[in-house]
Amino acid sequence: MITLKSKREIELMDRAGTVVALVHKRLKEVIVPGITTKEIDQICEEVIRENGCTPSFKGLYGFPGSVCTSINEVLVHGIPDNRVLKDGDIISVDVGACYKGYHGDSAWTYAVGTVNEEAQRLMQITEEALYKGLEMVKPGNRVGDISNAIQTYVESNGYSTPIEYTGHGIGKKVHEDPYVPNVGKAHSMELLKAGMCLAIEPMVFTGKPHCVTMKDGWGVHARDKSLAAHYEHTVAITEEGYKILTKED
């Protein structure tokens, strides 16, 4: 069931989203060759708690970390551990924060040191795909308009996006209705209305879109081990369009 959020609820989500943005701001400073994903996880949790929130993902469905840290070919749900990042890696960090029972959720992909042209282009196209999707967020459009905009842009640049992993509604729960696929037909699926809050998140492979779950039961990568990137913002739909909640005010 899709729930429309009140002005007060969106204000609480905006605060949670601002804290998520503060985490990403900190990540830009600390993600360098030599840091471990466990250290990244600890830093993220510290920033979240220091700003009056709790990590949305810690314990969610049994997930052991505070954030998801997905390196190179890993698309989503990477578990923080003692792996050391090296020059040339890329890492997607998915961050969720909860403030007074309401969530903000944003993922970003970071270059570790100096990365090659393939990685740079993948990151650029995936981030641009996020904003192509956001252009479709306004009352009267449908979820499929977001999906189609993302898919069209990703595929026009020679990349792919898996159908199994999607964006989603968000609010009191991290994952709410509706699902927001990155593949779909324009003018299809649920009608967008003011008060809906969505986490829109293109997940993109340089290769084919077929996914495999890793042995730890969490991480997901392409079957062909191609490079992956992931970008996400939480937005509230307004009468005029949308407001990004996961950025600094």
Side-chain angles (χ1 to χ4, degrees), residues 91-131:
I91 179 170
S92 300
V93 184
D94 196 349
V95 180
C98 182
Y99 180 71
K100 295 186 177 180
Y102 288 85
H103 298 274
D105 182 8
S106 173
W108 222 251
T109 302
Y110 297 92
V112 183
T114 302
V115 302
N116 62 28
E117 290 185 8
E118 178 188 35
Q120 289 176 354
R121 183 172 185 272
L122 172 65
M123 293 166 64
Q124 177 185 338
I125 296 304
T126 309
E127 182 178 357
E128 290 173 354
L130 168 61
Y131 289 99

Side-chain angles (χ1 to χ4, degrees), residues 115-175:
V115 302
N116 62 28
E117 290 185 8
E118 178 188 35
Q120 289 176 354
R121 183 172 185 272
L122 172 65
M123 293 166 64
Q124 177 185 338
I125 296 304
T126 309
E127 182 178 357
E128 290 173 354
L130 168 61
Y131 289 99
K132 292 293 184 182
L134 290 178
E135 288 175 5
M136 298 295 107
V137 179
K138 58 184 177 181
N141 275 0
R142 292 185 175 272
V143 169
D145 294 312
I146 302 171
S147 306
N148 184 259
I150 292 171
Q151 179 184 8
T152 299
Y153 191 72
V154 168
E155 293 181 353
S156 70
N157 282 280
Y159 297 144
S160 69
T161 181
I163 62 172
E164 301 97 321
Y165 297 93
T166 72
H168 50 88
I170 185 170
K172 287 185 177 180
K173 296 181 179 179
V174 176
H175 299 116

Side-chain angles (χ1 to χ4, degrees), residues 10-11 13-25 28 95 103-108 130-131 134 232-236 242-249:
I10 292 173
E11 287 173 349
M13 292 181 67
D14 197 9
R15 174 57 188 166
T18 298
V19 173
V20 170
L22 291 174
V23 175
H24 283 293
K25 183 178 181 180
K28 291 177 183 177
V95 180
H103 298 274
D105 182 8
S106 173
W108 222 251
L130 168 61
Y131 289 99
L134 290 178
E232 174 186 24
H233 268 313
T234 295
V235 301
Y242 66 90
K243 177 183 179 182
I244 297 176
L245 303 181
T246 42
K247 68 177 184 179
E248 288 188 81
D249 294 332

